[in-house]
Amino acid sequence: MTSPVPTVDQLAPIGPHSIGPLSIGPLTLDVPVVLAPMAGITNTAYRRLCREYGAGLFVSEMITSRALVERNAETMRLITHHESETTRSIQLYGVDPKTVSEAVTMLVAEDRADHIDLNFGCPVPKVTRKGGGAALPWKIGLFRQIVEAAVTAAGAVPLTVKMRKGIDADHLTYIEAGKAAAGAGVASIALHGRTAAEFYSGHADWSAIEKLKNAISDVPVLGNGDIWSAEDALRMVRETGCDGVVVGRGCLGRPWLFGDLTAAFRGQERKAEPGLGQVINAFRRHAELLTEYFDSEDRACRDIRKHVAWYFKGYPVGGDLRASLAMVQSLAQLDDLLGTLDASLPYPGADVEGPRGRAGTPKKPSLPEHWLESQDLIGAQRLNLTEGEGDTSGG
């Protein structure tokens, strides 16, 4: 049984903005959907799984520019794409224009990416306390230098940026930073409708996405935040006029969401809501792809454990079994545990839907000392910035 998904036109007119193919530089996305980079989640295995369900642009985990330039072994593994990934997309994090430029130059010269994104939206304290992620656009001059250097280094490879509204309600940066990025020649701008202080709490401010779209006419603007279903994505496009959507936490444990999104934007019928059997198959396939990715069954089983709660959210899977799945040590053991479930159980309804992942609570962002006193770098701030680039992955 299938249920129709309303097309954008059926929901409401969206003005002059066409929804369909999305051009990001020379890249054309048949479906204007992007998988948001998520540390520890959007590795090659998960990207492949999502692509098996639907179309879009599937971005790597956030990669630290400095670790890439230094050819850290784990970082080099993180940027490796499977041969089936025909559009290789990598997101970089950095705070120094020279280092970011060197990282982009390396990716282009060695033909390792078809699309590069810069992260200016990460709210994680270990990133913002060093002036990176969502904290960086406040220093608008530094932001402009990084983006301009990266665009120049990228050449014909499209370079995009992803950012938040700002640090907090009193320090909003998205309009100024968006205009600076557009002026630097980025191929698209994605905006998460929250500040760093909000983390993932409350509701995303979609009106900010609309304001940015109205302020920038010559660069595609993508919206991010609180897209839990295909209907949410269509509603975001209708309400904000954005050119596409970026999906993060909404697809945790739900890789088939990309199938729903593909059907929705193409005006096609949506597949039946997944019963427990389909969830089991997706979970097992995920574990299989992780095994191939890590070249280690043990490591794959350790990694799949964190996905248990997301996949089985709302489904009648007992606490003891969930606990056992979260301690699984081999694929054979995984198969035995999954075999105890009743695969014929239907989709349970509303309990499956809605927010997933940790939302956190609003809190004062961790920032470098005296960071908010000026939008210019002051004192030793520039020297201290590079201390935040020591990790393999920024998130």
Side-chain angles (χ1 to χ4, degrees):
M1 179 179 179
T2 59
S3 57
V5 171
T7 65
V8 172
D9 290 337
Q10 289 171 329
L11 281 170
I14 58 171
H17 314 292
S18 62
I19 199 67
L22 170 66
S23 294
I24 299 180
L27 300 178
T28 299
L29 304 184
D30 177 44
V31 175
V33 174
V34 177
L35 168 64
M38 291 180 282
I41 304 295
T42 56
N43 52 35
T44 296
Y46 193 65
R47 297 196 304 267
R48 289 176 63 191
L49 182 62
C50 292
R51 287 182 69 249
E52 290 179 1
Y53 283 94
L57 181 64
F58 302 92
V59 189
S60 75
E61 300 176 66
M62 190 167 76
I63 303 298
T64 300
S65 297
R66 178 176 159 189
L68 179 60
V69 170
E70 294 175 351
R71 293 184 178 273
N72 173 279
E74 177 65 10
T75 299
M76 298 305 291
R77 188 183 65 79
L78 287 172
I79 66 167
T80 301
H81 288 81
H82 187 264
E83 60 185 10
S84 66
E85 296 184 89
T86 53
T87 301
R88 302 160 301 167
S89 179
I90 293 176
Q91 187 186 69
L92 294 178
Y93 152 75
V95 295
D96 175 60
K98 182 176 182 293
T99 305
V100 172
S101 176
E102 290 175 351
V104 173
T105 297
M106 173 184 166
L107 292 174
V108 173
E110 298 180 10
D111 188 27
R112 293 179 178 272
D114 304 301
H115 163 250
I116 300 170
D117 186 60
L118 297 184
N119 183 294
F120 297 106
C122 181
V124 175
K126 75 172 184 178
V127 171
T128 59
R129 74 165 55 102
K130 297 298 184 180
L136 197 144
W138 174 250
K139 303 295 187 181
I140 189 63
L142 176 63
F143 174 85
R144 186 178 287 109
Q145 290 172 18
I146 291 174
V147 177
E148 288 177 349
V151 169
T152 299
V157 174
L159 186 130
T160 62
V161 299
K162 185 173 185 289
M163 59 188 186
R164 285 190 170 227
K165 291 171 58 180
I167 293 175
D168 55 33
D170 295 322
H171 301 87
L172 300 178
T173 56
Y174 68 103
I175 296 295
E176 186 177 16
K179 290 180 177 179
V186 301
S188 72
I189 301 168
L191 177 65
H192 185 145
R194 287 183 173 90
T195 63
E198 292 173 296
F199 214 67
Y200 296 98
S201 64
H203 297 284
D205 177 14
W206 289 5
S207 70
I209 298 168
E210 180 183 15
K211 291 174 184 175
L212 182 62
K213 178 60 185 174
N214 290 337
I216 298 174
S217 59
D218 54 347
V219 175
V221 171
L222 283 64
N224 177 218
D226 294 354
I227 295 179
W228 311 112
S229 66
E231 288 80 3
D232 289 334
L234 295 182
R235 186 167 57 86
M236 176 182 280
V237 171
R238 182 188 78 234
E239 293 181 4
T240 70
C242 65
D243 301 284
V245 298
V246 180
V247 181
R249 293 177 301 143
C251 70
L252 293 175
R254 304 179 73 212
W256 51 84
L257 177 58
F258 289 93
D260 290 347
L261 290 162
T262 298
F265 282 114
R266 288 177 176 170
Q268 300 170 343
E269 283 194 327
R270 178 179 180 178
K271 293 183 178 179
E273 297 286 10
L276 186 54
Q278 292 167 277
V279 177
I280 292 170
N281 290 338
F283 184 74
R284 179 59 172 77
R285 175 62 173 159
H286 194 171
E288 177 185 328
L289 291 171
L290 284 169
T291 300
E292 180 180 340
Y293 170 62
F294 288 120
D295 194 25
S296 166
E297 186 172 321
D298 176 70
R299 190 168 178 184
C301 288
R302 283 187 279 121
D303 192 83
I304 197 66
R305 295 172 185 173
K306 64 174 173 272
H307 296 270
V308 171
W310 296 326
Y311 271 100
F312 296 104
K313 177 181 184 289
Y315 289 87
V317 178
D320 289 344
L321 181 54
R322 288 173 185 262
S324 296
L325 287 169
M327 297 176 64
V328 69
Q329 296 180 329
S330 69
L331 292 183
Q333 182 186 12
L334 179 64
D335 288 338
D336 288 342
L337 291 171
L338 294 176
T340 66
L341 292 169
D342 183 354
S344 68
L345 290 174
Y347 171 76
D351 289 345
V352 173
E353 304 298 337
R356 51 192 52 228
R358 294 180 179 177
T361 57
K363 54 192 171 185
K364 184 178 179 180
S366 297
L367 300 169
E369 189 175 7
H370 306 302
W371 191 252
L372 296 178
E373 292 180 6
S374 171
Q375 287 197 269
D376 298 318
L377 291 173
I378 58 176
Q381 286 178 349
R382 183 178 289 276
L383 292 176
N384 294 335
L385 279 176
T386 55
E387 294 179 10
E389 289 196 330
D391 291 334
T392 300
S393 175

